[in-house]
Structure formats: structure tokens, C-alpha cells
Amino acid sequence: MDRQQFVRAMAEGAYIKAGSDAHLHMHAMSQRALQYTSQINGAYHEPAELRALFFELIDKPVDDTFGLFPPFSTDYGLNISIGKRVFINEGCCFQDQGGIEIGDDCLIGQQVVIATLNHDLDTSKRGNMRSAPVKIGNKVWIGAHATILPGVTIGDGAVIAAGAVVTKDVPANSVAAGVPAKVIKTI
């Protein structure tokens, strides 16, 4: 399985069987991601150098307005899309096999986790996984230690409170907080 086939399958909500070609592809590409994140996290880099390393990690253009405070972790790297004027704070962990899209003008707080895979609930198939992309609109602020689960879409202008666990879509211009996160306010 090549990268384009894998990304296409993930976008369609692929069911990945443990030991399958897709699963083996994930593991091989995780080694690539580890190489890049080790470079990103292993020493101080000027902002332009960090952007260049992140560009290589995701293999997509990164705007000059992109900011990152390492450490940063991802286990695939090639299924992340970043808009303009995005800032990712330190300690974030992106599980991007299923796809992560981040719009323009977004702020991602410290130690935010974005997951795009779920394991099968059937214990005899627990090693199998299903993918679902995460889409983050424009001008979204995600507070520190929030967790965004697979398949979630966060609308433009929304705020995710610190520590929230987002299990469902969040409408535009709203504030979601809690575990599980619920809309507590409209902006």
C-alpha cells in the first residue's frame, strides 16, 4: 500500500485489520515520523528552521506565519493540513493517520491530543482500527490539555476549554467544556 492509497482509504473511514498492508504501512511511516519529530524536539531551532522541519514532516507547504513550540509528537505526519497563522504550543500529540485539518488563525494549547483512530471494541479484534478525520475550522482556540476524538468537526470561531474531551461536533462560535465536552456558551 502506498501513501496515496492509504490517505484515500483513511478519508473514507477505513477499517484497518491488525497485520494488514495498511497496518504495516502505518508502522513503517511511524518510523519516518519519529525521525522528523526527533529532529524537531532534539535541539533548539530558529522559527524558520522549525517551519522547514515541520514542512518536511507533513510534506505540505507551511505558511511563514506558522508557529510551533516543541516538543511535538505525531505517529504519521503525512495526513496533517495546516492553514495560515496557526500556532501549536508545546507538548501536543497528533495521531493523524485518519487526517487532521486545521484552518486559518487557530491556536492549539499546550499538550492537546488530536486522535483519528479508534480500536475495535470486540476484544477478539482489539488490534483492528477504524479511522475518522478531525476537522478544525478557522479562528478556533483549543485550550491546554484538551482531547479531540476521531470524527469530530469544530466549527469556525469555536473555543474548546482547557481539559475538555471533545467527542461530538462543536458548532461555530460556541464554547465547549467538560468531559465529555458540551456547549456551554455561544459567542
Side-chain angles (χ1 to χ4, degrees):
M1 174 169 276
D2 68 22
R3 173 181 162 194
Q4 286 76 24
Q5 292 169 321
F6 180 80
V7 169
R8 194 169 33 254
M10 294 297 104
E12 296 169 357
Y15 184 76
I16 303 158
K17 291 184 179 180
S20 68
D21 286 344
H23 192 238
L24 295 174
H25 173 81
M26 287 170 53
H27 280 276
M29 298 312 289
S30 69
Q31 296 305 303
R32 177 195 173 278
L34 285 169
Q35 290 173 347
Y36 282 104
T37 56
S38 292
Q39 291 176 38
I40 288 168
N41 300 331
Y44 172 77
H45 302 283
E46 294 287 336
E49 187 179 7
L50 263 180
R51 281 190 296 276
L53 286 168
F54 198 84
F55 168 82
E56 290 179 42
L57 170 66
I58 69 172
D59 195 27
K60 292 180 186 82
V62 175
D63 192 77
D64 287 346
T65 60
F66 173 74
L68 172 69
F69 283 179
F72 174 78
S73 176
T74 187
D75 50 7
Y76 191 72
L78 296 168
N79 211 359
I80 299 171
S81 296
I82 303 277
K84 296 179 180 178
R85 298 169 302 280
V86 170
F87 175 70
I88 299 172
N89 213 328
E90 64 184 349
C92 289
C93 180
F94 290 9
Q95 180 196 54
D96 69 297
Q97 289 93 337
I100 297 172
E101 293 179 23
I102 300 173
D104 296 338
D105 302 300
C106 289
L107 302 172
I108 312 294
Q110 293 174 321
Q111 298 181 350
V112 166
V113 173
I114 302 175
T116 64
L117 294 175
N118 270 324
H119 285 276
D120 200 308
L121 293 177
D122 180 340
T123 57
S124 67
K125 300 176 185 175
R126 187 64 45 89
N128 299 347
M129 297 166 271
R130 180 159 317 277
S131 67
V134 169
K135 296 181 181 176
I136 299 169
N138 297 317
K139 299 182 180 182
V140 171
W141 172 23
I142 301 176
H145 299 273
T147 299
I148 314 301
L149 294 182
V152 167
T153 295
I154 300 172
D156 293 346
V159 175
I160 307 302
V165 177
V166 183
T167 62
K168 296 179 182 173
D169 292 354
V170 176
N173 300 311
S174 61
V175 177
V179 179
K182 294 182 173 107
V183 173
I184 60 168
K185 182 181 200 177
T186 299
I187 301 170

